[in-house]
């Protein structure tokens, strides 16, 4: 076994007889291929931007479909490594993509479950001798058969601290990634510059991570589209004046510190909804569907972002 991942073509594929050398196989004809297409199509429909990420997911799906086809002919091949690193700023969709990857790999028969277990350093590293191994192994056990998503993974090891136990967690993860017990896929996520330093400082780790997926920041127009999708899912909408006001809000907020892409947009919408609720409650009279679903320019422009911009 190489790459630390066990090929799991699924029970149906295992029961099928090997094909002869003159046989032909349609890569897109089986149920697994249909499930993969459905996951990718739904992801494309429900998300804005992320073009490079979507392309990479399609490439991984193609790789696994070909691997399944080769197995039908009895061709031997090294098991593909599916451990990954996600790099990008906050609010760029890394956790959402981890969920989609789990669905994709499960549909293709390479994971037993579409479950994603998200952890940080605090979930893996103990403060005292003997605490780290049980914590790390417990997280691995919870994620077994699915995806272990490690956010801000570069905090796992702090080489400047001689009494830090993070390296023990890294070593246990390496052992699991190599053995492939439970068909676990590990995803390391965080800011690009810190992730590069983290992976390059540990050759054993970097050699086991085959897929590096970069998440770019969203553009202004993409963030406004994301806002409208978020509102629609909760049965809200911008009035025309409110949409124009929110476009101005996004432009101002993007230039301010601690901007977190879609996460900042979601937080802004929550505050807009709060201002709407206060405004409607103050009316002291009946309200209808139109009032309950509409966010106005006043709901948007009540943000302190406009005041800070002068």
């Amino acid at each position: 076994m190489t790459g630390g991942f066990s090929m799991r073509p699924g029970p149906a594929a295992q029961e099928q007889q090997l094909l002869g050398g003159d046989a032909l196989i349609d890569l897109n004809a089986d149920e697994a291929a249909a499930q993969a297409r459905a996951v990718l199509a739904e992801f494309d429909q429900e998300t804005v931007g992320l073009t490079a990420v979507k392309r990479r997911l399609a490439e991984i799906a193609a790789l696994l479909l070909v691997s399944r086809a080769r197995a039908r002919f009895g061709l031997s091949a090294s098991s593909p490594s599916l451990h990954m690193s996600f790099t990008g700023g906050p609010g760029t969709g890394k956790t959402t993509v981890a969920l989609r990857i789990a669905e994709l790999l499960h549909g293709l028969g390479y994971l037993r479950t579409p479950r994603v277990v998200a952890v940080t350093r605090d979930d893996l590293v103990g403060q005292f001798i003997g605490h780290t191994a049980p914590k790390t192994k417990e997280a691995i056990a919870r994620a077994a058969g699915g995806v272990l998503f490690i956010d801000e993974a570069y905090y796992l090891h702090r080489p400047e601290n001689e009494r830090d136990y993070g390296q023990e967690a890294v070593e246990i993860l390496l052992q699991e990634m190599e053995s492939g017990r439970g068909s676990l896929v590990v995803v390391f996520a965080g800011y690009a510059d810190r992730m590069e330093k983290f992976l390059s400082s540990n050759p054993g780790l970097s050699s086991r991570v085959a897929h590096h997926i970069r998440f770019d920041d969203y553009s202004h127009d993409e963030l406004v589209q994301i806002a409208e999708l978020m509102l629609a899912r909760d049965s809200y909408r911008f009035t025309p004046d409110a949409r124009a006001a929110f476009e101005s809000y996004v432009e101002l907020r993007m230039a301010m510190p601690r901007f977190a892409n879609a996460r900042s947009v979601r937080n802004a919408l929550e505050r807009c909804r709060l201002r709407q609720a206060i405004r409607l409650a103050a009316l002291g009279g009946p309200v209808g569907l139109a009032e309950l679903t509409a966010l106005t320019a006043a709901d948007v422009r009540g943000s302190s972002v406009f005041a800070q911009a002068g």
Side-chain angles (χ1 to χ4, degrees):
M1 181 184 302
T2 63
F5 189 83
S6 175
M7 291 275 287
R8 297 181 60 84
Q14 293 171 2
E15 294 172 0
Q16 292 174 328
Q17 293 184 345
L18 294 180
L19 298 175
D22 58 348
L24 297 176
I25 186 170
D26 187 343
L27 294 177
N28 296 307
D30 67 359
E31 181 181 351
Q35 290 186 33
R37 289 196 303 272
V39 170
L40 293 173
E42 185 178 16
F43 178 52
D44 185 53
Q45 182 179 7
E46 293 184 352
T47 55
V48 174
L50 299 177
T51 302
V53 175
K54 293 172 181 177
R55 181 170 59 248
R56 191 59 181 273
L57 293 191
E59 292 170 354
I60 292 172
L63 170 67
L64 298 183
L65 285 171
V66 169
S67 295
R68 288 168 58 89
R70 288 174 57 85
R72 293 290 313 280
F73 286 95
L75 297 172
S76 61
S78 59
S79 301
S81 174
L82 296 176
H83 304 302
M84 308 178 190
S85 74
F86 290 177
T87 57
T92 50
K94 295 186 289 294
T95 305
T96 298
V97 171
L99 293 169
R100 290 302 187 186
I101 283 178
E103 293 176 4
L104 182 66
L105 298 182
H106 174 64
L108 288 169
Y110 289 84
L111 287 179
R112 296 197 308 271
T113 172
R115 177 175 60 245
V116 175
V117 174
V119 298
T120 63
R121 172 189 164 89
D122 290 342
D123 300 301
L124 303 176
V125 181
Q127 297 181 349
F128 307 100
I129 294 176
H131 285 190
T132 295
K135 292 184 72 170
T136 303
K137 291 177 180 178
E138 192 275 334
I140 289 172
R142 285 191 288 122
V147 172
L148 180 64
F149 180 84
I150 306 175
D151 200 13
E152 297 185 308
Y154 33 75
Y155 288 132
L156 279 181
H157 182 43
R158 296 169 176 167
E160 70 281 1
N161 184 353
E162 296 180 357
R163 301 185 62 181
D164 182 69
Y165 303 109
Q167 182 58 31
E168 182 180 0
V170 172
E171 291 172 357
I172 293 171
L173 288 168
L174 284 173
Q175 293 171 8
E176 181 65 29
M177 293 165 69
E178 179 64 24
S179 67
R181 289 188 300 252
S183 301
L184 177 72
V185 169
V186 181
V187 177
F188 299 93
Y191 294 118
D193 54 346
R194 298 182 185 180
M195 283 296 297
E196 182 178 356
K197 183 177 180 181
F198 170 65
L199 292 173
S200 62
S201 67
N202 193 318
L205 190 60
S206 62
S207 66
R208 288 168 176 79
V209 177
H211 303 280
H212 299 266
I213 302 179
R214 177 174 175 173
F215 291 69
D216 294 323
D217 289 337
Y218 291 108
S219 69
H220 173 275
D221 290 346
E222 288 173 341
L223 290 167
V224 175
Q225 292 179 55
I226 288 170
E228 293 190 306
L229 281 175
M230 289 179 175
L231 289 179
R233 289 168 188 165
D234 291 330
S235 300
Y236 283 88
R237 60 183 174 83
F238 284 132
T239 65
D241 288 346
R243 190 185 194 281
F246 196 79
E247 290 177 352
S248 298
Y249 170 89
V250 172
E251 183 176 359
L252 294 172
R253 185 65 184 89
M254 290 177 72
M256 292 180 174
R258 297 182 297 279
F259 179 68
N261 289 281
R263 191 178 305 164
S264 291
V265 166
R266 182 177 64 246
N267 292 340
L269 294 178
E270 287 293 328
R271 291 189 288 271
C272 287
R273 290 167 59 176
L274 175 62
R275 287 189 286 271
Q276 182 225 37
I278 295 171
R279 174 174 57 80
L280 294 179
L283 292 176
V287 295
L289 180 63
E291 290 82 9
L292 291 170
T293 57
L295 296 180
T296 67
D299 299 328
V300 177
R301 291 193 175 277
S303 170
S304 61
V305 166
F306 292 98
Q308 293 176 44

